[in-house]
Amino acid sequence: MRDTSDTSDTEPSGRRANRRISRLSTVIALSTSALLSVVGPTHAAPAKDPLPADIPDYQAALNAVKSADVRNTVCRFLRTPVPTDGAGGPVQTIPETAEPCQGLPVFTIKDPVALNEITPAFAAGTAQALPAKAVKLTGLVSSLSTTVNGRDATVMLAPTHGGGWHLAAVRDGDSDAAYAGKATVGTLVFTEPQIRGWYQLKLLTVEALNDQARQGLGGRASVSLSDYQKLVKARYADKLPGSDYDTKGYSSGYGLQRTQDDASSSTLLLAGGSSTALVLAGGAALLLRRRRASTG
């Protein structure tokens, strides 16, 4: 019979010490994990979680991008030539076809990621320079698994009143989804859409992810969140809702400043009340109207 008596008194001291070190290492690892979950931005769910904890109704978002309606909309978008006249060009109606994806290369729409933007209160300087006050979730973006007919595309989802997500637009290019996807556990990625700047927030440090963001930081690679607030306050505090700037037609006091990048890659396909209410035109003007309607 196996002896089950306590052998702690006879166990060699070296072995007992090793066991204590092993237990201590486990405790430290668990404590570190718990600490990261507390101090990290609330959007950063552990990689093992099946659904992001920061995105409400995420399963509805997955269902949307995997649906036949959204896929068919993307296919119709990819079949329609990009307008060459920019935002001032004529609106093109996308024709309905029985099999819009027929003949196109096989592709899938990736799982959507969070699209975070700076908040008006943060830009006004009235909100604290804290991650939860500085940025908010405004939508979701997905890219395609492969280039189709030489084009990349981004699927943009907007929250549905009462819960869930719906298709808001399909946009040429995949830079939005690429930048948004750079978020990692313990970091937050957000955009300053007025200048097309993308940033990564690490604790209370804002780091530029593209050239527009570096310009927005005065040529610096990174600044503190409080210093970044001073910069955006100088840019937008007099352009918030109710200001003269706002009454001239810009939503939320934010005017999309068209850049050369916008002119070539901001084409949008807007989804209206039904799948047949689809138009293709230069993206900046349509995005501006969509943002104003969503905040009005």
Side-chain angles (χ1 to χ4, degrees):
M1 171 181 280
R2 182 180 177 181
D3 185 5
T4 59
S5 59
D6 184 6
T7 60
S8 59
D9 292 336
T10 59
E11 184 176 12
S13 59
R15 183 177 300 176
R16 289 200 302 274
N18 289 336
R19 290 175 60 185
R20 285 196 297 271
I21 292 174
S22 177
R23 288 196 297 270
L24 180 59
S25 299
T26 301
V27 170
I28 292 174
L30 292 175
S31 299
T32 302
S33 177
L35 179 61
L36 288 174
S37 68
V38 171
V39 303
T42 57
H43 85 292
K48 66 180 181 180
D49 285 359
L51 300 177
D54 62 316
I55 300 177
D57 300 319
Y58 189 70
Q59 186 59 55
L62 289 176
N63 294 341
V65 298
K66 305 302 181 185
S67 69
D69 285 346
V70 169
R71 181 179 179 82
N72 288 340
T73 298
V74 173
C75 289
R76 286 193 290 270
F77 174 82
L78 294 170
R79 287 184 180 280
T80 306
V82 178
T84 58
D85 297 327
V91 172
Q92 296 176 257
T93 301
I94 297 180
E96 284 287 333
T97 56
E99 298 291 340
C101 297
Q102 186 174 7
L104 289 178
V106 176
F107 69 90
T108 58
I109 303 175
K110 296 180 182 179
D111 292 351
V113 293
L115 177 64
N116 298 297
E117 298 183 13
I118 59 174
T119 66
F122 178 77
T126 58
Q128 291 178 293
L130 298 173
K133 302 291 185 179
V135 299
K136 67 176 180 179
L137 178 70
T138 59
L140 304 178
V141 288
S142 305
S143 59
L144 307 185
S145 61
T146 186
T147 299
V148 179
N149 286 355
R151 293 171 66 181
D152 296 307
T154 296
V155 176
M156 308 177 74
L157 301 181
T160 300
H161 181 69
W165 298 87
H166 64 271
L167 177 65
V170 178
R171 181 174 183 164
D172 257 318
D174 61 358
S175 60
D176 286 354
Y179 282 122
K182 291 182 178 293
T184 60
V185 174
T187 71
L188 177 69
V189 169
F190 67 95
T191 180
E192 184 185 335
Q194 299 75 25
I195 63 171
R196 300 284 298 166
W198 284 92
Y199 307 86
Q200 189 166 37
L201 181 59
K202 297 180 178 179
L203 294 180
L204 296 177
T205 300
V206 177
E207 297 183 358
L209 293 179
N210 63 357
D211 290 339
Q212 292 92 327
R214 278 184 287 274
Q215 293 173 8
L217 298 183
R220 289 167 288 181
S222 64
V223 299
S224 68
L225 184 58
S226 59
D227 284 344
Y228 175 67
Q229 184 175 32
K230 295 175 183 176
L231 292 171
V232 296
K233 180 180 179 180
R235 284 198 281 271
Y236 309 120
D238 60 344
K239 302 176 180 65
L240 293 170
S243 66
D244 289 341
Y245 190 85
D246 177 41
T247 58
K248 291 178 180 178
Y250 295 94
S251 79
S252 299
Y254 294 155
L256 284 174
Q257 301 177 8
R258 283 185 59 78
T259 64
Q260 188 170 357
D261 176 67
D262 291 330
S264 62
S265 65
S266 62
T267 301
L268 288 177
L269 176 65
L270 295 188
S274 67
S275 61
T276 58
L278 301 171
V279 294
L280 182 70
L286 286 181
L287 179 59
L288 188 63
R289 291 199 294 270
R290 179 175 68 82
R291 287 170 62 85
R292 184 173 181 84
S294 66
T295 58

